[in-house]
């Protein structure tokens, strides 16, 4: 957890130029909930299949209803598809998500897909009997450096617990849920989130980002444009210098958008990632999922046609949504770094937290604690 | 099983104009193996989560080596992406398959992905520890009509057993493995396979197809162009008339081809499906995976570059490969129908086998037992 | 032209099982218009850049308004992307078409794109000045066998004339417009069209297809499943036996559908093509464009959001639309063959018309003049 | 032209951390040539179709041979496909480019496609007669602000002249060729180029970028991470504040890579664009083309298979290529800004050059003239 460490904005670091929502979290998007189950157990040498355990599961629920009965428009962009993104192929075809979105350590993905299937069955006894089956959405980053991945310590019941525990409000960040064992730009990484709110002129829509941050090498890290990673170079854990991680970015909005337009948001999230210095290295599976919960697609509509409201893509509103996506993504990644605390895992592998004081000092020296906005 | 029923060609039905390989199976592609685990248990009313059980797992092994260490080029085409095709996203990015290909009933996919992860760990203790994780490839059709899907009766060990039992040689068809509980064009469906061999002028390459056939309504079925389904209409089980199934088509070849060109083969397999009368109905998740085992991509090559041989795509060879793919797919689907025997499952649901005698009579009447080839 | 030859249905050949619209043409879709300009000039040896001329342009106008001001949802599927489909990339991004769709001989595509730009300027003087530019949609098949392609004899003014002359009502088929110099399954090919109308239970929507047919070898041709090409084998022009053509298929509907769902229709049109025996050979650029004119996307909407009606994709309506697409495509291709008359072009190259009497005799012998529908 | 203004690096601005090639241009990739034809004519009010003229054409020749006879592997990534990228669809299918790559003002694309067709005919009299036709590659940005687009003042002969004049060596930047009438981040934009060279450990390969820069608003501009645009805000031309431009990025390399891997490079170029502050606004058609000239695909190979060398994608080499792509793209964009000089066009519209002195002062103040590299 990260209670002792400030979020970036609380430390005075203002990413971008748009205003965040009240929580500066994906949960600023009305009706979105996030849940985590964190598994930390054991120390010492790696006993493959046994431990130590540094892993977990995080879930994002696009709305508080029954996702199988009320699907939401969605899209996936594989900036670098080296990784698992179970469910992507059906999202591509039908343009909707019909299950909670689960994030976890790489080798847990099969178990979590199975857990989401059980979740759908529990809520919908007809699922896979008298109506169609469910498309579970599970994606991942590798927590191999700290965690015993062979054990797949996240079980089916953990994902059910994460869903049950999902809440609106403040989102725990850093070493929680799927973020428990992750590394980010050579430092300890994990879960981060942020949001942006459009002006009333643009409908007052909210865009939220939640990331599972596990990518990059320390020299790459940039914050608000400042080359923080290069400046912190003497603080680095040498073992972090291979960029073999990944990042999962989930974008949620209450702007009414269908799948194609959400795919456009997803591609912009990759630009937010680029601003943090990432090169989307080969070993980094960089997936972005974007959904809108302003629209609901019933599982089996009564009528032969549905009506959808959709944002106009030719006016300035869409550009505001693009910029909100980029900024929320960028800040969510930095928030993950600010929140995550030093952790030791298997074989004594240690991943050190971002030194906030030094980071703030660097940003101050570069004059980049905030951008020079002259409103 | 199907020992009492002839394959289409043995019954005198010759699909297309090219010659099959000696086994007329995907195992005509050198070094390809197929394994099945079939689960049939219980009768009577559906007890969700308990039974009756009519399901299984089938695996295709592109070569006999360690798939994680020696990957093969591959591509996926989602003709209708309503279904699960775990692993597609990484195949799109990297152009290779690095695990056995597992087929099963829809709700088992999470468990099988986990089973394939275990399989990779067993063979590669460094997988997910000191080297990257594995991308399991699992796809499915729904056996809901006959099987208790809620029970996910296929366990991790079943996929390991299917892999262990995978063999070259004759491929069991019909109600075996993943095909156990499937329906096809209103009749009992399941596993089918076929192959085509190119002439020596074209390198003598083999193209094999294996299908998990679970799609279509009875009126749609065409064999060699004859409207067999419409002719058999009075024989139909009324409950089969909703087209909510799927079909998975796996194409293997020993022609040296990389991912892009294999994607071209995959799209042609969809044309083979079309010849059987399918309309790729909404409810039918129609995925095609194509691989070549003539090329091997080492997991971590020593050298900075590799050499690949690749078929020339501008000459007649590629068209021969296209036609071989179409014909092998068409015949594999018909073989699934010929092999599958009547089965009763949950709630007394019965799916009846294709009446071979009447089918042959219809084809004879239409003069389409074979095409009029004047060589 | 084809006034002396019956259309397939007029000759008693009934493709598929659904009912066509009153015109059995893409113009059964309300407000769709089609125009042709046909260029036939000169004989004798090929004088590159000069003649002989056997080419033209065909245009499909999704509605009778200003396409730039009122765009329509659209999608493209490249079954075999060996060819030019100018405009596809923007259709992919924005999901709309904003110009007439122009078809022509391959080497004319640049000139026609320029002609469509001029057309947009003529109607919209602000286009490319104070508002955005236009995305012309031009696609093609090669008429190299009969025509002097080097001359690009279709000029900008021809596409303007084709648009001006576009009409609702009966659509000329065969050797007209872009179809003038085309070959199809070894015979003379060109323009063909057909339609299907859904029952009132399914909203009574119409699906129309128009093809520019220039693909296939004579042995491949199947009609209603019958191997007509193989039966006609002794009638063949040997020079047609290389499958280096292409086919363009345009699907229009008044069912309200957005781009993603239209992409699903486009993939089904490829299945209609497969039913005619095509293998989508390497040399054949096989593009399918699908649009719905039930929805209009204003160029610069006043409001920040729009409302769209959209067919439900989970019910039987979508499957009826899929089947309508397949059947209309199949019949449009056969209509192209029935309409096109023998033509001689450059260097005395001759492409012979499908012998309708023999074709009918073959279909009669196979019992496939119509499918055995027991209503 | 830009002879009076220093390139970014000559002004002391060092983008990124890798070393450029000797020319710091795409022409550092051996055998790549670039040509421009620049059209500047007339002043005063806009006379649509007549002038003033501020446009041109730029061509990139991947090698000095006959592109139609010796194609090169290539890929396109549409970061934002609002624009024309003629030829993309065939590049997607076949993975090669077979013509020079032409860049121009938007409304000239049809004419230039026709010009490239003529170019192919001139070199290959069999093209479109006895062998297949050519796939011209033409992409664009809108020069509407300064230029009379309606006149399509670039003619077929201009693209032939640009090809004839294409040279290795130093590449003119700024207001040349297609860049003549372009705007970039609210300032005068146009052509820019840069390169990176990998160390000998990584084969010493070169990656070059050439951009046609026409996107962004002034507040967005970042250089080496510094918020230059926000700092320069009082210098802005108000009319530039709508982000309706585009950017075309061409990446060339002599590292042996096929189409799929080149697509990965293309996606990284989008990350280089992101570093300059772009949000890929709706109105900005952002296309990236990547090619390798280390491999040649013969038009009609004699043999049935070819051999390809290909970089290994699992080692650090690929990451170095990714980083090189990002950095070369970023620097090419900044070079376009440094080179382009103030220009007045139609209706007195003026686009002002980036004030280099003030920019350098800002970068100096932020300490970002170069990154803090501790080698």
């Amino acid at each position: 957890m990260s209670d002792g460490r400030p979020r970036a904005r609380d430390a005075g670091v203002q990413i971008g130029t748009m205003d965040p929502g009240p929580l500066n979290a994906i949960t600023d998007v009305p009706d979105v909930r996030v849940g985590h189950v964190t598994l930390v157990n054991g120390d010492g040498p790696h006993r493959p299949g046994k431990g130590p355990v540094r892993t977990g599961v995080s879930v994002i629920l696009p709305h508080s209803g029954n996702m199988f009965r009320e699907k939401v428009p969605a899209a996936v962009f594989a900036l670098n598809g080296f990784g698992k993104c179970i469910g992507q192929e059906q999202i591509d075809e039908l343009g909707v998500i019909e299950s909670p979105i689960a994030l976890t350590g790489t080798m847990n993905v099969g178990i979590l897909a199975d857990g989401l299937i059980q979740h759908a069955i529990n809520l919908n006894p007809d699922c896979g009997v008298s109506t169609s089956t469910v498309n579970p959405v599970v994606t991942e980053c590798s927590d191999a450096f700290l965690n015993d991945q062979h054990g797949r310590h996240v079980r089916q019941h953990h994902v059910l617990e994460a869903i049950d525990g999902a809440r609106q409000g403040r989102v725990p960040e850093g070493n929680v849920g799927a973020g428990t064992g992750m590394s980010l730009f050579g430092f300890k990484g994990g879960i981060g989130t942020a949001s942006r709110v459009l002006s009333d002129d643009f409908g007052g829509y909210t865009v939220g980002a939640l990331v599972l941050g596990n990518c990059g090498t320390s020299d790459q890290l940039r914050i608000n444009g400042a080359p923080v990673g290069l400046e912190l170079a003497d603080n680095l854990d040498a073992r972090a210098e291979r960029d073999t991680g990944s990042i999962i970015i989930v974008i949620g909005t209450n702007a009414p958008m269908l799948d194609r337009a959400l795919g456009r948001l997803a591609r912009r999230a990759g630009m937010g990632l680029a601003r943090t210095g990432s090169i989307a290295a080969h070993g980094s599976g960089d997936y972005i999922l974007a959904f809108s919960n302003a629209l609901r697609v019933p599982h089996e509509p009564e009528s032969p046609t549905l009506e959808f409201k959709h944002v106009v893509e030719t006016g300035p509103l869409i550009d505001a949504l693009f910029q909100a996506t980029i900024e929320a993504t960028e800040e969510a990644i930095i928030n993950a770094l600010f929140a995550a605390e030093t952790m030791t895992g298997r074989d004594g592998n240690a991943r050190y937290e971002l030194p906030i004081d030094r980071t703030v000092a660097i940003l101050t020296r570069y004059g980049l604690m905030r951008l020079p906005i002259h409103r």
Side-chain angles (χ1 to χ4, degrees), chain A:
Chain A
M1 291 291 252
S2 59
D3 290 325
R5 289 164 62 89
R7 303 182 78 197
R9 198 162 284 260
D10 295 333
V13 182
Q14 291 183 24
I15 304 286
T17 63
M18 296 181 74
D19 291 324
L23 297 162
N24 196 15
I26 198 171
T27 46
D28 283 322
V29 181
D31 211 21
V32 169
R33 290 178 298 156
V34 175
H36 299 295
V37 165
T38 305
L39 302 176
V40 176
N41 190 21
D43 277 301
H46 188 198
R47 290 162 294 129
K50 304 293 173 60
V53 178
R54 301 287 185 278
T55 193
V57 54
S58 297
V59 294
I60 298 101
L61 280 62
H63 63 66
S64 54
N66 182 331
M67 287 291 299
F68 185 68
R69 295 292 172 195
E70 294 189 280
K71 310 170 202 296
V72 296
V76 179
F77 172 52
L79 173 61
N80 188 36
F82 188 178
K84 272 57 84 182
C85 187
I86 294 177
Q88 174 179 341
E89 55 284 357
Q90 186 167 322
I91 298 172
D92 288 349
E93 179 75 30
L94 301 181
V96 291
I97 287 182
E98 62 181 12
S99 91
I101 300 163
L103 314 178
T104 189
T106 306
M107 284 187 157
N108 306 321
V109 294
I111 293 172
L112 259 68
D114 193 58
L116 289 180
I117 290 168
Q118 185 61 53
H119 173 69
I121 292 172
N122 291 350
L123 288 179
N124 308 280
D126 57 342
C127 175
V129 181
S130 56
T131 192
S132 57
T133 59
V134 69
N135 184 42
V137 177
V138 184
T139 182
E140 50 76 26
C141 296
S142 171
D143 43 24
F145 182 71
L146 297 176
N147 180 52
D148 164 45
Q149 288 206 103
H150 282 196
R152 286 101 81 207
H153 300 281
V154 181
R155 308 296 182 199
Q156 281 92 337
H157 68 88
H158 290 127
V159 70
L160 301 180
E161 291 165 20
I163 293 169
D164 284 346
R167 295 286 178 271
Q168 298 182 29
R170 195 180 74 85
V171 174
E173 295 176 302
N175 301 349
V176 293
T180 303
M182 302 298 168
S183 304
L184 187 57
F185 291 113
F187 299 98
K188 186 67 189 68
I191 297 291
T193 188
S195 72
R196 290 296 181 271
V197 179
L198 274 62
S199 71
D200 288 346
D201 292 349
F202 291 154
Y205 297 120
T206 298
V207 176
L210 183 143
V211 304
L212 174 62
N214 191 46
C215 66
T217 57
S218 53
D219 58 304
Q220 293 167 351
L221 176 63
R222 300 187 186 194
I223 299 181
N224 243 359
V228 172
L230 287 169
E231 291 288 351
L232 287 172
D234 56 342
N235 193 49
L236 300 175
D237 171 6
R239 294 192 58 178
E241 294 310 297
R242 290 182 54 214
D243 187 356
T244 56
S246 297
I247 187 165
I248 306 300
I249 303 169
V250 179
I251 302 295
T253 186
N254 61 345
M257 304 176 81
L258 288 170
D259 49 285
R260 181 186 47 73
L262 289 165
R264 303 183 80 190
L265 285 200
R267 289 199 289 282
R268 270 69 187 180
M271 303 184 84
L273 172 64
R275 288 188 176 186
T276 66
S278 166
I279 64 164
H282 165 75
S284 182
D286 296 349
Y287 287 101
I288 301 139
L289 296 90
F291 67 83
S292 164
N293 67 6
L295 303 173
R296 307 283 170 94
V297 182
H299 177 60
E300 287 178 341
E302 297 284 319
S303 59
T305 58
L306 295 172
E307 294 269 347
F308 293 115
K309 200 169 149 186
H310 197 275
V311 298
V312 166
E313 289 173 77
T314 48
L317 167 54
I318 192 78
D319 287 342
L321 290 166
F322 288 173
Q323 185 172 347
T325 300
I326 292 172
E327 291 196 5
T329 301
E330 185 182 3
E331 184 157 340
I333 294 168
I334 304 307
N335 275 337
L337 282 170
F338 270 68
E341 297 180 314
T342 298
M343 180 174 275
T344 305
R346 71 165 173 91
D347 296 322
N349 283 353
R351 193 64 81 205
Y352 298 102
E353 64 199 31
L354 180 80
I356 292 180
D357 287 352
R358 291 190 59 202
T359 298
V360 166
I362 292 165
L363 287 170
T364 302
R365 177 149 54 83
Y366 276 98
L368 285 166
M369 286 293 282
R370 62 195 61 78
L371 298 177
I373 315 163
H374 313 289
R375 302 195 189 188

